Amino acid sequence: MELSERKKQILRSVVEIYISTAEPVGSKAIAQLPDVDFSSATIRNEMAELTAMGYLEQPHTSAGRVPSAAGYRLYIDELMASYRLSLDEAHSINTAIDEKMQRVDQMMEKVAKLVSQATDLPAISMASRSAEVTVSRYDLIAAGGGSFILVAMLSSDEVVNKLIRLPLDVEESDLKLLSALLNTAMVDLPAEGFTPALLERVTRSAGSAGSLVPVIVEFVTGALRRQGTTNLAISGQSRLLGLPEYRDIDKAQKMLSTLETDALSDLPAILENSNGTKVLVGPENVAQELKDTSVVVTKFDIGDGMQGMIGVVGPTRMDYAKITARLTYFAENLSKHFAPPPKELPQSKPGEGAESTSNPPQGG
């Protein structure tokens, strides 16, 4: 049954007052709202009908009403006004994301240093996304002053946003149309999925807001590529110089240069379908630059959709048993370190949830 505008207004008021106060809402509270122009008696009748229809509920101890699950759903789908992020809120979100990524970088540097100290070899540590990140939802929020905030929710449960200036001929209705188009045509795509043909099609369908599409796509694809990048840290390169294999200056210089290149960035791929620690001896290495060395790597879980990896690079005569054992121990403890804290179990009251041992049951 379609709700009248009056019923929708009353339902919206009940939800918003209840969200604010956490107390059941009576007709008097609604009648006092500045945008309500009907009597308490009318409001009571409408609230009774909304209750009968399943949108409101009445706690036994109160004359007021609270929203039901169906009431919240209707509010979210049809009645809820768009929330406009302030510039301070947008700044806070961006700052939080930046700080988190900085902590990952710093953590990788510390891990590499610890592994190098424990193995006396050059060590590497990486953090990367365990799955390809896509955009799961777009929101375009008018921010006033001729601008709007683009909010993109990613499949990694992270949120990225950008303040964008509006062309003069773009109205809020155009933003709603564009938002609908984006959520229809540009979700669940990796960065490579934003093809010129797709961009052209959405731009053509967006009407007056079409000029915003390239700006949005540029920001979103950049954010997706940053999500997919690998945080790489290397420590202990100078330890090679103390090994007999690298007393030759040219050989040592070549190896040190390899440790500063992208040759190591392909290492996570070798762990993709494997468990435990992986040892690559000499020619088994994917990168040509590492054909004369051995690499031992293992992975650990960071959480938030991120996978960690630690490893060492050194001569093929390295002590594999000792290196493997130490890396495995590091990985296991790093996974424990990054695991979410266990949920606390509710404590039972005296006499509940446990049997008394003072008077054991008698046999027979």
Side-chain angles (χ1 to χ4, degrees):
M1 176 181 175
E2 180 69 22
L3 294 186
S4 66
E5 289 304 314
R6 186 164 65 189
K7 281 187 173 65
K8 289 181 179 180
Q9 183 178 0
I10 290 172
L11 176 58
R12 180 172 59 243
S13 299
V14 172
V15 173
E16 292 175 353
I17 294 173
Y18 186 64
I19 288 172
S20 176
T21 65
E23 296 289 341
V25 181
S27 58
K28 186 176 178 180
I30 296 175
Q32 292 174 345
L33 295 174
D35 59 341
V36 172
D37 58 358
F38 24 87
S39 67
S40 293
T42 300
I43 295 171
R44 280 195 298 273
N45 290 336
E46 295 285 24
M47 290 176 72
E49 291 187 25
L50 286 166
T51 302
M53 296 168 70
Y55 293 111
L56 296 179
E57 295 173 348
Q58 183 175 19
H60 296 301
T61 58
S62 171
R65 303 292 202 280
V66 299
S68 66
Y72 280 122
R73 171 48 56 196
L74 182 64
Y75 174 78
I76 293 167
D77 289 345
E78 298 184 25
L79 309 178
M80 181 173 61
S82 296
Y83 179 80
R84 297 187 177 187
L85 270 68
S86 68
L87 295 180
D88 286 341
E89 287 174 305
H91 176 72
S92 296
I93 293 172
N94 280 327
T95 299
I97 293 171
D98 291 342
E99 286 178 352
K100 181 171 183 177
M101 296 313 297
Q102 288 172 8
R103 287 198 298 273
V104 171
D105 288 339
Q106 292 167 1
M107 178 269 292
M108 288 295 101
E109 292 174 6
K110 291 178 181 178
V111 168
K113 186 174 182 180
L114 288 172
V115 172
S116 179
Q117 290 172 346
T119 60
D120 202 28
L121 288 170
I124 53 178
S125 63
M126 300 185 191
S128 60
R129 290 285 167 193
S130 56
E132 196 166 51
V133 181
T134 62
V135 178
S136 55
R137 177 184 170 88
Y138 298 86
D139 286 296
L140 308 181
I141 304 169
S147 61
F148 75 98
I149 298 172
L150 163 65
V151 182
M153 180 177 290
L154 309 183
S155 58
S156 59
D157 291 333
E158 293 194 39
V159 176
V160 294
N161 61 84
K162 178 181 177 64
L163 181 67
I164 298 176
R165 296 292 174 186
L166 281 169
L168 294 178
D169 58 345
V170 176
E171 304 291 337
E172 190 163 354
S173 58
D174 297 319
L175 291 181
K176 290 182 179 179
L177 170 62
L178 179 55
S179 179
L181 284 170
L182 295 174
N183 283 301
T184 300
M186 289 189 170
V187 292
D188 302 326
L189 296 174
E192 296 73 22
F194 292 81
T195 62
L198 175 62
L199 192 150
E200 181 182 354
R201 187 167 67 250
V202 174
T203 300
R204 192 167 53 247
S205 301
S208 300
S211 59
L212 299 174
V213 175
V215 179
I216 292 172
V217 169
E218 181 182 5
F219 171 72
V220 168
T221 53
L224 292 177
R225 289 191 176 99
R226 285 193 297 275
Q227 289 285 316
T229 56
T230 298
N231 296 300
L232 169 65
I234 307 172
S235 181
Q237 298 95 314
S238 61
R239 295 179 187 273
L240 285 176
L241 301 178
L243 299 173
E245 288 86 347
Y246 300 102
R247 286 176 183 162
D248 182 286
I249 297 299
D250 291 337
K251 188 175 181 179
Q253 187 174 14
K254 182 179 178 182
M255 186 59 189
L256 290 173
S257 298
T258 298
L259 293 178
E260 298 295 339
T261 68
D262 294 334
L264 302 176
S265 62
D266 293 328
L267 289 178
I270 69 172
L271 287 173
E272 199 167 305
N273 298 314
S274 65
N275 296 315
T277 302
K278 187 86 171 177
V279 180
L280 300 175
V281 180
E284 296 173 358
N285 282 288
V286 176
Q288 183 64 37
E289 298 90 339
L290 300 174
K291 295 295 184 182
D292 295 329
T293 66
S294 284
V295 177
V296 184
V297 287
T298 192
K299 59 185 177 182
F300 60 95
D301 188 32
I302 296 176
D304 291 334
M306 297 192 75
Q307 191 81 41
M309 191 202 79
I310 52 175
V312 296
V313 180
T316 53
R317 65 173 182 88
M318 71 171 67
D319 189 335
Y320 294 103
K322 182 189 293 185
I323 297 298
T324 300
R326 290 182 176 177
L327 285 180
T328 301
Y329 184 79
F330 261 106
E332 290 173 351
N333 283 275
L334 285 168
S335 292
K336 292 177 184 177
H337 176 77
F338 288 108
K343 295 182 179 179
E344 293 185 8
L345 297 175
Q347 295 185 357
S348 59
K349 296 179 181 178
E352 293 181 355
E355 295 181 359
S356 172
T357 57
S358 56
N359 295 300
Q362 300 298 314

PDB file of all heavy atoms in Angstrom, residues 74-106:
ATOM      1  N   LEU A  74      12.153   1.750   4.773  1.00  0.00           N
ATOM      2  CA  LEU A  74      11.468   2.743   3.953  1.00  0.00           C
ATOM      3  C   LEU A  74      12.130   4.113   4.105  1.00  0.00           C
ATOM      4  O   LEU A  74      12.293   4.847   3.126  1.00  0.00           O
ATOM      5  CB  LEU A  74       9.993   2.827   4.346  1.00  0.00           C
ATOM      6  CG  LEU A  74       9.142   3.804   3.516  1.00  0.00           C
ATOM      7  CD1 LEU A  74       9.087   3.350   2.063  1.00  0.00           C
ATOM      8  CD2 LEU A  74       7.731   3.915   4.087  1.00  0.00           C
ATOM      9  N   TYR A  75      12.543   4.424   5.310  1.00  0.00           N
ATOM     10  CA  TYR A  75      13.230   5.700   5.560  1.00  0.00           C
ATOM     11  C   TYR A  75      14.515   5.776   4.747  1.00  0.00           C
ATOM     12  O   TYR A  75      14.794   6.781   4.082  1.00  0.00           O
ATOM     13  CB  TYR A  75      13.531   5.828   7.055  1.00  0.00           C
ATOM     14  CG  TYR A  75      14.371   7.030   7.417  1.00  0.00           C
ATOM     15  CD1 TYR A  75      13.820   8.308   7.501  1.00  0.00           C
ATOM     16  CD2 TYR A  75      15.728   6.883   7.696  1.00  0.00           C
ATOM     17  CE1 TYR A  75      14.598   9.412   7.839  1.00  0.00           C
ATOM     18  CE2 TYR A  75      16.515   7.966   8.032  1.00  0.00           C
ATOM     19  CZ  TYR A  75      15.947   9.236   8.101  1.00  0.00           C
ATOM     20  OH  TYR A  75      16.726  10.321   8.428  1.00  0.00           O
ATOM     21  N   ILE A  76      15.299   4.721   4.775  1.00  0.00           N
ATOM     22  CA  ILE A  76      16.581   4.710   4.061  1.00  0.00           C
ATOM     23  C   ILE A  76      16.372   4.777   2.551  1.00  0.00           C
ATOM     24  O   ILE A  76      17.068   5.504   1.839  1.00  0.00           O
ATOM     25  CB  ILE A  76      17.390   3.454   4.443  1.00  0.00           C
ATOM     26  CG1 ILE A  76      17.817   3.538   5.918  1.00  0.00           C
ATOM     27  CG2 ILE A  76      18.612   3.283   3.533  1.00  0.00           C
ATOM     28  CD1 ILE A  76      18.334   2.229   6.476  1.00  0.00           C
ATOM     29  N   ASP A  77      15.374   4.031   2.064  1.00  0.00           N
ATOM     30  CA  ASP A  77      15.169   3.940   0.619  1.00  0.00           C
ATOM     31  C   ASP A  77      14.515   5.180   0.027  1.00  0.00           C
ATOM     32  O   ASP A  77      14.809   5.560  -1.113  1.00  0.00           O
ATOM     33  CB  ASP A  77      14.310   2.719   0.289  1.00  0.00           C
ATOM     34  CG  ASP A  77      15.052   1.409   0.502  1.00  0.00           C
ATOM     35  OD1 ASP A  77      16.289   1.455   0.620  1.00  0.00           O
ATOM     36  OD2 ASP A  77      14.395   0.354   0.568  1.00  0.00           O
ATOM     37  N   GLU A  78      13.600   5.840   0.797  1.00  0.00           N
ATOM     38  CA  GLU A  78      12.791   6.896   0.186  1.00  0.00           C
ATOM     39  C   GLU A  78      12.782   8.231   0.927  1.00  0.00           C
ATOM     40  O   GLU A  78      12.612   9.278   0.303  1.00  0.00           O
ATOM     41  CB  GLU A  78      11.333   6.422   0.059  1.00  0.00           C
ATOM     42  CG  GLU A  78      11.146   5.213  -0.835  1.00  0.00           C
ATOM     43  CD  GLU A  78       9.677   4.849  -0.997  1.00  0.00           C
ATOM     44  OE1 GLU A  78       8.823   5.763  -0.833  1.00  0.00           O
ATOM     45  OE2 GLU A  78       9.383   3.670  -1.263  1.00  0.00           O
ATOM     46  N   LEU A  79      12.935   8.198   2.251  1.00  0.00           N
ATOM     47  CA  LEU A  79      12.656   9.407   3.031  1.00  0.00           C
ATOM     48  C   LEU A  79      13.892  10.120   3.543  1.00  0.00           C
ATOM     49  O   LEU A  79      13.822  11.286   3.920  1.00  0.00           O
ATOM     50  CB  LEU A  79      11.759   9.046   4.234  1.00  0.00           C
ATOM     51  CG  LEU A  79      10.497   8.241   3.911  1.00  0.00           C
ATOM     52  CD1 LEU A  79       9.737   7.923   5.194  1.00  0.00           C
ATOM     53  CD2 LEU A  79       9.610   9.013   2.942  1.00  0.00           C
ATOM     54  N   MET A  80      14.996   9.457   3.584  1.00  0.00           N
ATOM     55  CA  MET A  80      16.197  10.022   4.190  1.00  0.00           C
ATOM     56  C   MET A  80      16.780  11.119   3.316  1.00  0.00           C
ATOM     57  O   MET A  80      17.000  10.928   2.118  1.00  0.00           O
ATOM     58  CB  MET A  80      17.229   8.907   4.399  1.00  0.00           C
ATOM     59  CG  MET A  80      18.524   9.332   5.048  1.00  0.00           C
ATOM     60  SD  MET A  80      19.565   7.893   5.426  1.00  0.00           S
ATOM     61  CE  MET A  80      19.838   7.217   3.782  1.00  0.00           C
ATOM     62  N   ALA A  81      17.033  12.278   3.894  1.00  0.00           N
ATOM     63  CA  ALA A  81      17.655  13.379   3.162  1.00  0.00           C
ATOM     64  C   ALA A  81      19.143  13.093   2.983  1.00  0.00           C
ATOM     65  O   ALA A  81      19.774  12.447   3.825  1.00  0.00           O
ATOM     66  CB  ALA A  81      17.456  14.687   3.915  1.00  0.00           C
ATOM     67  N   SER A  82      19.709  13.541   1.875  1.00  0.00           N
ATOM     68  CA  SER A  82      21.146  13.360   1.636  1.00  0.00           C
ATOM     69  C   SER A  82      21.935  14.116   2.684  1.00  0.00           C
ATOM     70  O   SER A  82      21.643  15.275   2.993  1.00  0.00           O
ATOM     71  CB  SER A  82      21.521  13.869   0.243  1.00  0.00           C
ATOM     72  OG  SER A  82      20.875  13.105  -0.743  1.00  0.00           O
ATOM     73  N   TYR A  83      22.922  13.415   3.256  1.00  0.00           N
ATOM     74  CA  TYR A  83      23.781  14.064   4.241  1.00  0.00           C
ATOM     75  C   TYR A  83      24.962  14.701   3.521  1.00  0.00           C
ATOM     76  O   TYR A  83      25.622  14.063   2.711  1.00  0.00           O
ATOM     77  CB  TYR A  83      24.301  13.050   5.253  1.00  0.00           C
ATOM     78  CG  TYR A  83      25.219  13.653   6.285  1.00  0.00           C
ATOM     79  CD1 TYR A  83      24.700  14.346   7.371  1.00  0.00           C
ATOM     80  CD2 TYR A  83      26.603  13.555   6.158  1.00  0.00           C
ATOM     81  CE1 TYR A  83      25.537  14.915   8.311  1.00  0.00           C
ATOM     82  CE2 TYR A  83      27.448  14.115   7.091  1.00  0.00           C
ATOM     83  CZ  TYR A  83      26.907  14.788   8.176  1.00  0.00           C
ATOM     84  OH  TYR A  83      27.743  15.362   9.104  1.00  0.00           O
ATOM     85  N   ARG A  84      25.182  15.956   3.816  1.00  0.00           N
ATOM     86  CA  ARG A  84      26.274  16.675   3.165  1.00  0.00           C
ATOM     87  C   ARG A  84      27.484  16.724   4.092  1.00  0.00           C
ATOM     88  O   ARG A  84      27.431  17.316   5.166  1.00  0.00           O
ATOM     89  CB  ARG A  84      25.843  18.099   2.807  1.00  0.00           C
ATOM     90  CG  ARG A  84      24.692  18.148   1.809  1.00  0.00           C
ATOM     91  CD  ARG A  84      24.407  19.564   1.364  1.00  0.00           C
ATOM     92  NE  ARG A  84      23.343  19.603   0.356  1.00  0.00           N
ATOM     93  CZ  ARG A  84      22.991  20.697  -0.295  1.00  0.00           C
ATOM     94  NH1 ARG A  84      23.596  21.841  -0.047  1.00  0.00           N
ATOM     95  NH2 ARG A  84      22.022  20.654  -1.197  1.00  0.00           N
ATOM     96  N   LEU A  85      28.544  16.088   3.675  1.00  0.00           N
ATOM     97  CA  LEU A  85      29.765  16.143   4.459  1.00  0.00           C
ATOM     98  C   LEU A  85      30.305  17.566   4.477  1.00  0.00           C
ATOM     99  O   LEU A  85      30.337  18.244   3.450  1.00  0.00           O
ATOM    100  CB  LEU A  85      30.841  15.234   3.852  1.00  0.00           C
ATOM    101  CG  LEU A  85      30.902  13.783   4.333  1.00  0.00           C
ATOM    102  CD1 LEU A  85      29.685  13.012   3.868  1.00  0.00           C
ATOM    103  CD2 LEU A  85      32.189  13.127   3.857  1.00  0.00           C
ATOM    104  N   SER A  86      30.717  17.989   5.643  1.00  0.00           N
ATOM    105  CA  SER A  86      31.399  19.276   5.718  1.00  0.00           C
ATOM    106  C   SER A  86      32.824  19.100   5.211  1.00  0.00           C
ATOM    107  O   SER A  86      33.336  17.980   5.095  1.00  0.00           O
ATOM    108  CB  SER A  86      31.420  19.777   7.165  1.00  0.00           C
ATOM    109  OG  SER A  86      32.254  18.940   7.961  1.00  0.00           O
ATOM    110  N   LEU A  87      33.463  20.203   4.911  1.00  0.00           N
ATOM    111  CA  LEU A  87      34.863  20.132   4.474  1.00  0.00           C
ATOM    112  C   LEU A  87      35.737  19.532   5.563  1.00  0.00           C
ATOM    113  O   LEU A  87      36.697  18.809   5.288  1.00  0.00           O
ATOM    114  CB  LEU A  87      35.352  21.530   4.088  1.00  0.00           C
ATOM    115  CG  LEU A  87      34.657  22.158   2.870  1.00  0.00           C
ATOM    116  CD1 LEU A  87      35.235  23.537   2.584  1.00  0.00           C
ATOM    117  CD2 LEU A  87      34.794  21.267   1.641  1.00  0.00           C
ATOM    118  N   ASP A  88      35.405  19.826   6.832  1.00  0.00           N
ATOM    119  CA  ASP A  88      36.185  19.263   7.938  1.00  0.00           C
ATOM    120  C   ASP A  88      36.036  17.746   7.998  1.00  0.00           C
ATOM    121  O   ASP A  88      37.008  17.023   8.255  1.00  0.00           O
ATOM    122  CB  ASP A  88      35.729  19.870   9.274  1.00  0.00           C
ATOM    123  CG  ASP A  88      36.206  21.309   9.453  1.00  0.00           C
ATOM    124  OD1 ASP A  88      37.156  21.697   8.740  1.00  0.00           O
ATOM    125  OD2 ASP A  88      35.642  22.021  10.298  1.00  0.00           O
ATOM    126  N   GLU A  89      34.822  17.241   7.763  1.00  0.00           N
ATOM    127  CA  GLU A  89      34.603  15.795   7.771  1.00  0.00           C
ATOM    128  C   GLU A  89      35.369  15.126   6.640  1.00  0.00           C
ATOM    129  O   GLU A  89      35.996  14.072   6.832  1.00  0.00           O
ATOM    130  CB  GLU A  89      33.111  15.495   7.646  1.00  0.00           C
ATOM    131  CG  GLU A  89      32.313  15.800   8.904  1.00  0.00           C
ATOM    132  CD  GLU A  89      30.825  15.621   8.683  1.00  0.00           C
ATOM    133  OE1 GLU A  89      30.296  16.247   7.749  1.00  0.00           O
ATOM    134  OE2 GLU A  89      30.212  14.856   9.436  1.00  0.00           O
ATOM    135  N   ALA A  90      35.303  15.726   5.450  1.00  0.00           N
ATOM    136  CA  ALA A  90      36.034  15.163   4.313  1.00  0.00           C
ATOM    137  C   ALA A  90      37.532  15.143   4.598  1.00  0.00           C
ATOM    138  O   ALA A  90      38.233  14.170   4.295  1.00  0.00           O
ATOM    139  CB  ALA A  90      35.748  15.975   3.050  1.00  0.00           C
ATOM    140  N   HIS A  91      38.024  16.221   5.210  1.00  0.00           N
ATOM    141  CA  HIS A  91      39.448  16.297   5.546  1.00  0.00           C
ATOM    142  C   HIS A  91      39.817  15.219   6.563  1.00  0.00           C
ATOM    143  O   HIS A  91      40.871  14.578   6.459  1.00  0.00           O
ATOM    144  CB  HIS A  91      39.773  17.681   6.098  1.00  0.00           C
ATOM    145  CG  HIS A  91      41.203  17.832   6.554  1.00  0.00           C
ATOM    146  ND1 HIS A  91      42.259  17.897   5.677  1.00  0.00           N
ATOM    147  CD2 HIS A  91      41.739  17.907   7.804  1.00  0.00           C
ATOM    148  CE1 HIS A  91      43.386  18.007   6.358  1.00  0.00           C
ATOM    149  NE2 HIS A  91      43.101  18.020   7.647  1.00  0.00           N
ATOM    150  N   SER A  92      38.943  14.997   7.549  1.00  0.00           N
ATOM    151  CA  SER A  92      39.222  13.991   8.577  1.00  0.00           C
ATOM    152  C   SER A  92      39.306  12.596   7.976  1.00  0.00           C
ATOM    153  O   SER A  92      40.165  11.791   8.349  1.00  0.00           O
ATOM    154  CB  SER A  92      38.134  14.026   9.659  1.00  0.00           C
ATOM    155  OG  SER A  92      38.148  15.259  10.337  1.00  0.00           O
ATOM    156  N   ILE A  93      38.398  12.286   7.031  1.00  0.00           N
ATOM    157  CA  ILE A  93      38.416  10.971   6.389  1.00  0.00           C
ATOM    158  C   ILE A  93      39.709  10.779   5.604  1.00  0.00           C
ATOM    159  O   ILE A  93      40.374   9.740   5.689  1.00  0.00           O
ATOM    160  CB  ILE A  93      37.192  10.809   5.468  1.00  0.00           C
ATOM    161  CG1 ILE A  93      35.908  10.761   6.302  1.00  0.00           C
ATOM    162  CG2 ILE A  93      37.306   9.543   4.615  1.00  0.00           C
ATOM    163  CD1 ILE A  93      34.640  10.800   5.477  1.00  0.00           C
ATOM    164  N   ASN A  94      40.092  11.785   4.822  1.00  0.00           N
ATOM    165  CA  ASN A  94      41.327  11.695   4.045  1.00  0.00           C
ATOM    166  C   ASN A  94      42.542  11.530   4.946  1.00  0.00           C
ATOM    167  O   ASN A  94      43.455  10.754   4.658  1.00  0.00           O
ATOM    168  CB  ASN A  94      41.493  12.946   3.176  1.00  0.00           C
ATOM    169  CG  ASN A  94      40.666  12.882   1.907  1.00  0.00           C
ATOM    170  OD1 ASN A  94      40.462  11.816   1.352  1.00  0.00           O
ATOM    171  ND2 ASN A  94      40.180  14.018   1.449  1.00  0.00           N
ATOM    172  N   THR A  95      42.556  12.272   6.056  1.00  0.00           N
ATOM    173  CA  THR A  95      43.681  12.197   6.990  1.00  0.00           C
ATOM    174  C   THR A  95      43.788  10.805   7.585  1.00  0.00           C
ATOM    175  O   THR A  95      44.880  10.242   7.704  1.00  0.00           O
ATOM    176  CB  THR A  95      43.511  13.241   8.109  1.00  0.00           C
ATOM    177  OG1 THR A  95      43.481  14.545   7.531  1.00  0.00           O
ATOM    178  CG2 THR A  95      44.663  13.161   9.101  1.00  0.00           C
ATOM    179  N   ALA A  96      42.628  10.217   7.965  1.00  0.00           N
ATOM    180  CA  ALA A  96      42.641   8.880   8.552  1.00  0.00           C
ATOM    181  C   ALA A  96      43.189   7.850   7.572  1.00  0.00           C
ATOM    182  O   ALA A  96      43.970   6.976   7.946  1.00  0.00           O
ATOM    183  CB  ALA A  96      41.222   8.497   8.993  1.00  0.00           C
ATOM    184  N   ILE A  97      42.775   7.956   6.297  1.00  0.00           N
ATOM    185  CA  ILE A  97      43.261   7.013   5.286  1.00  0.00           C
ATOM    186  C   ILE A  97      44.766   7.172   5.090  1.00  0.00           C
ATOM    187  O   ILE A  97      45.517   6.188   5.033  1.00  0.00           O
ATOM    188  CB  ILE A  97      42.510   7.228   3.961  1.00  0.00           C
ATOM    189  CG1 ILE A  97      41.035   6.823   4.124  1.00  0.00           C
ATOM    190  CG2 ILE A  97      43.144   6.420   2.826  1.00  0.00           C
ATOM    191  CD1 ILE A  97      40.174   7.194   2.938  1.00  0.00           C
ATOM    192  N   ASP A  98      45.216   8.423   4.996  1.00  0.00           N
ATOM    193  CA  ASP A  98      46.649   8.675   4.803  1.00  0.00           C
ATOM    194  C   ASP A  98      47.467   8.137   5.971  1.00  0.00           C
ATOM    195  O   ASP A  98      48.530   7.535   5.784  1.00  0.00           O
ATOM    196  CB  ASP A  98      46.905  10.174   4.633  1.00  0.00           C
ATOM    197  CG  ASP A  98      46.366  10.707   3.317  1.00  0.00           C
ATOM    198  OD1 ASP A  98      46.107   9.880   2.414  1.00  0.00           O
ATOM    199  OD2 ASP A  98      46.194  11.928   3.190  1.00  0.00           O
ATOM    200  N   GLU A  99      46.966   8.351   7.201  1.00  0.00           N
ATOM    201  CA  GLU A  99      47.701   7.895   8.380  1.00  0.00           C
ATOM    202  C   GLU A  99      47.810   6.377   8.407  1.00  0.00           C
ATOM    203  O   GLU A  99      48.839   5.815   8.766  1.00  0.00           O
ATOM    204  CB  GLU A  99      47.018   8.397   9.651  1.00  0.00           C
ATOM    205  CG  GLU A  99      47.222   9.890   9.894  1.00  0.00           C
ATOM    206  CD  GLU A  99      46.490  10.380  11.134  1.00  0.00           C
ATOM    207  OE1 GLU A  99      45.709   9.584  11.701  1.00  0.00           O
ATOM    208  OE2 GLU A  99      46.706  11.539  11.529  1.00  0.00           O
ATOM    209  N   LYS A 100      46.704   5.709   7.993  1.00  0.00           N
ATOM    210  CA  LYS A 100      46.736   4.248   7.982  1.00  0.00           C
ATOM    211  C   LYS A 100      47.789   3.742   7.004  1.00  0.00           C
ATOM    212  O   LYS A 100      48.563   2.832   7.307  1.00  0.00           O
ATOM    213  CB  LYS A 100      45.372   3.686   7.619  1.00  0.00           C
ATOM    214  CG  LYS A 100      45.353   2.166   7.615  1.00  0.00           C
ATOM    215  CD  LYS A 100      43.961   1.617   7.473  1.00  0.00           C
ATOM    216  CE  LYS A 100      43.986   0.098   7.543  1.00  0.00           C
ATOM    217  NZ  LYS A 100      42.651  -0.498   7.477  1.00  0.00           N
ATOM    218  N   MET A 101      47.841   4.333   5.805  1.00  0.00           N
ATOM    219  CA  MET A 101      48.815   3.892   4.818  1.00  0.00           C
ATOM    220  C   MET A 101      50.237   4.192   5.279  1.00  0.00           C
ATOM    221  O   MET A 101      51.155   3.424   5.034  1.00  0.00           O
ATOM    222  CB  MET A 101      48.533   4.557   3.467  1.00  0.00           C
ATOM    223  CG  MET A 101      47.192   4.162   2.848  1.00  0.00           C
ATOM    224  SD  MET A 101      46.878   2.378   2.860  1.00  0.00           S
ATOM    225  CE  MET A 101      48.206   1.775   1.818  1.00  0.00           C
ATOM    226  N   GLN A 102      50.428   5.315   5.975  1.00  0.00           N
ATOM    227  CA  GLN A 102      51.751   5.631   6.507  1.00  0.00           C
ATOM    228  C   GLN A 102      52.170   4.598   7.547  1.00  0.00           C
ATOM    229  O   GLN A 102      53.332   4.189   7.617  1.00  0.00           O
ATOM    230  CB  GLN A 102      51.749   7.038   7.106  1.00  0.00           C
ATOM    231  CG  GLN A 102      51.675   8.142   6.059  1.00  0.00           C
ATOM    232  CD  GLN A 102      51.471   9.505   6.685  1.00  0.00           C
ATOM    233  OE1 GLN A 102      51.524   9.660   7.905  1.00  0.00           O
ATOM    234  NE2 GLN A 102      51.219  10.500   5.849  1.00  0.00           N
ATOM    235  N   ARG A 103      51.208   4.145   8.371  1.00  0.00           N
ATOM    236  CA  ARG A 103      51.530   3.145   9.386  1.00  0.00           C
ATOM    237  C   ARG A 103      51.942   1.834   8.734  1.00  0.00           C
ATOM    238  O   ARG A 103      52.838   1.148   9.215  1.00  0.00           O
ATOM    239  CB  ARG A 103      50.325   2.917  10.308  1.00  0.00           C
ATOM    240  CG  ARG A 103      50.068   4.065  11.274  1.00  0.00           C
ATOM    241  CD  ARG A 103      49.184   3.611  12.425  1.00  0.00           C
ATOM    242  NE  ARG A 103      47.879   3.163  11.976  1.00  0.00           N
ATOM    243  CZ  ARG A 103      46.844   3.966  11.810  1.00  0.00           C
ATOM    244  NH1 ARG A 103      46.963   5.265  12.040  1.00  0.00           N
ATOM    245  NH2 ARG A 103      45.677   3.482  11.422  1.00  0.00           N
ATOM    246  N   VAL A 104      51.285   1.465   7.618  1.00  0.00           N
ATOM    247  CA  VAL A 104      51.665   0.241   6.910  1.00  0.00           C
ATOM    248  C   VAL A 104      53.096   0.367   6.397  1.00  0.00           C
ATOM    249  O   VAL A 104      53.907  -0.546   6.527  1.00  0.00           O
ATOM    250  CB  VAL A 104      50.681  -0.053   5.760  1.00  0.00           C
ATOM    251  CG1 VAL A 104      51.203  -1.195   4.891  1.00  0.00           C
ATOM    252  CG2 VAL A 104      49.307  -0.405   6.315  1.00  0.00           C
ATOM    253  N   ASP A 105      53.416   1.532   5.791  1.00  0.00           N
ATOM    254  CA  ASP A 105      54.779   1.750   5.289  1.00  0.00           C
ATOM    255  C   ASP A 105      55.801   1.630   6.419  1.00  0.00           C
ATOM    256  O   ASP A 105      56.838   0.979   6.276  1.00  0.00           O
ATOM    257  CB  ASP A 105      54.886   3.129   4.644  1.00  0.00           C
ATOM    258  CG  ASP A 105      54.159   3.198   3.320  1.00  0.00           C
ATOM    259  OD1 ASP A 105      53.926   2.128   2.727  1.00  0.00           O
ATOM    260  OD2 ASP A 105      53.807   4.306   2.880  1.00  0.00           O
ATOM    261  N   GLN A 106      55.524   2.291   7.543  1.00  0.00           N
ATOM    262  CA  GLN A 106      56.455   2.265   8.668  1.00  0.00           C
ATOM    263  C   GLN A 106      56.589   0.853   9.228  1.00  0.00           C
ATOM    264  O   GLN A 106      57.681   0.422   9.609  1.00  0.00           O
ATOM    265  CB  GLN A 106      55.971   3.230   9.754  1.00  0.00           C
ATOM    266  CG  GLN A 106      56.040   4.686   9.339  1.00  0.00           C
ATOM    267  CD  GLN A 106      55.273   5.594  10.286  1.00  0.00           C
ATOM    268  OE1 GLN A 106      54.695   5.142  11.269  1.00  0.00           O
ATOM    269  NE2 GLN A 106      55.275   6.888   9.995  1.00  0.00           N
TER     270      GLN A 106
END
